[in-house]
Amino acid sequence: MARPEHALIVAAGKGARMNTPVPKQFLEVAGKPVLLHALDAFRRYSKEIRIVLVLNEADFPAWELLRKKHRVDGPLEVQKGGATRFQSVKNGLGSIRDGGLVAIHDGARPLVSEGIIRESFRLASIHGAAVATVPLKESIRRIAGAESEGMDRSQFRIIQTPQTFDVTLITAAYSAEEDPSLTDDASVAERAGHRIMLFDGSYENIKVTTPEDLVIAEALLRARQM
Ligand code: CTP
Ligand code: MG
């Protein structure tokens, strides 16, 4: 039998780089909040997928209103977030008790496609850990004090979400102490000794992080609606 599939959507951040009064995941783009675009992508992928939504406790009332207004349905559990993304993911993993696979996704990525979600589950079911990536478009330099050094961009990848794992594997990895230098789930899994299978994400699958990203997300979402 196929293993149960979960989506762990982390949306408990404060959005310091966006710097809006309302956290960025609740800002409306193309007719609904960023977070709901992300949720809907997982629901389009599967009506049965079990969603764990991690929110800042202060945002619980706002979520209740949104849930009713936008008629969010299907299996969904809300979990309290923590002070860091690591803590939020860890809290969310704590509410998955039946094993299987989990796609960890940023609530701030409204443009994830069903295809990317499907590929992440397919590869995670084979390899245990699968992460969406894209090649760098721009040149990069490594900074060291006043000096800098050109780097070969072909040796690097931008890391996106979903990052999809065997639940047992990633839960064990998150039982280690938090290392602030590890900013994504793949790095946490890797430190626990696991190999990470990379696959092609999409340049559309942006993380809404700074104000201009809202304009880009709106344009990309509208283009899909046409
Ligand atoms: N996140 C979370 N809990 C935290 C911090 C981040 O659930 N304590 C989530 C965010 O809500 C977001 C995702 O992790 O969906 C990626 O994080 P990021 O883009 O860094 O969002 P913020 O931390 O909110 O933004 P910033 O770093 O600019 O403050
Ligand atoms: Mg952050």
Side-chain angles (χ1 to χ4, degrees):
M1 213 186 90
R3 290 188 274 175
E5 291 182 344
H6 307 264
L8 171 48
I9 300 183
V10 283
K14 296 221 163 76
R17 287 169 288 178
M18 185 64 73
N19 199 20
T20 44
V22 175
K24 61 189 183 181
Q25 55 273 29
F26 294 105
L27 298 175
E28 282 220 358
V29 288
K32 62 189 173 198
V34 167
L35 171 60
L36 283 187
H37 287 285
L39 269 172
D40 287 351
F42 281 90
R43 275 280 171 263
R44 278 197 301 278
Y45 163 71
S46 162
K47 290 271 166 290
E48 287 84 44
I49 192 167
R50 301 173 206 178
I51 298 177
V52 178
L53 175 60
V54 182
L55 295 171
N56 194 316
E57 214 171 2
D59 296 326
F60 281 9
W63 167 251
E64 267 313 295
L65 293 176
L66 281 183
R67 193 177 63 76
K68 288 184 186 125
K69 181 176 170 194
H70 295 274
R71 299 199 168 85
V72 177
D73 55 10
L76 187 144
E77 188 182 326
V78 174
Q79 181 67 242
K80 191 169 67 136
T84 62
R85 187 180 182 283
F86 181 98
Q87 292 297 333
S88 292
V89 170
K90 188 172 176 152
N91 286 359
L93 288 172
S95 62
I96 301 176
R97 286 171 208 91
D98 56 348
L101 300 168
V102 58
I104 305 176
H105 184 67
D106 295 327
R109 287 188 196 267
L111 279 137
V112 62
S113 68
E114 281 176 71
I116 289 176
I117 295 169
R118 182 165 295 107
E119 186 66 355
S120 82
F121 278 115
R122 189 182 74 78
L123 290 171
S125 74
I126 300 167
H127 303 283
V131 171
T133 77
V134 287
L136 277 67
K137 296 185 192 181
E138 314 215 20
S139 300
I140 53 169
R141 297 185 70 79
R142 195 208 326 251
I143 308 298
E147 304 301 313
S148 72
E149 181 193 359
M151 307 289 286
D152 174 6
R153 73 171 171 223
S154 69
Q155 291 185 24
F156 294 85
R157 291 291 178 273
I158 302 279
I159 300 303
Q160 305 185 327
T161 70
Q163 304 195 0
T164 304
F165 304 90
D166 176 90
V167 169
T168 310
L169 179 164
I170 196 66
T171 304
Y174 267 91
S175 70
E177 205 181 309
E178 179 171 359
D179 173 348
S181 73
L182 308 181
T183 56
D184 75 333
D185 314 298
S187 306
V188 174
E190 184 173 58
R191 192 186 49 181
H194 300 289
R195 278 193 73 223
I196 310 299
M197 178 60 58
L198 305 184
F199 69 96
D200 291 339
S202 155
Y203 286 124
E204 288 197 6
N205 183 23
I206 62 166
K207 180 161 68 68
V208 172
T209 306
T210 52
E212 59 282 354
D213 294 331
L214 281 173
V215 181
I216 298 166
E218 173 89 24
L220 290 169
L221 287 162
R222 290 280 178 214
R224 283 186 188 176
Q225 290 167 354
M226 287 194 308

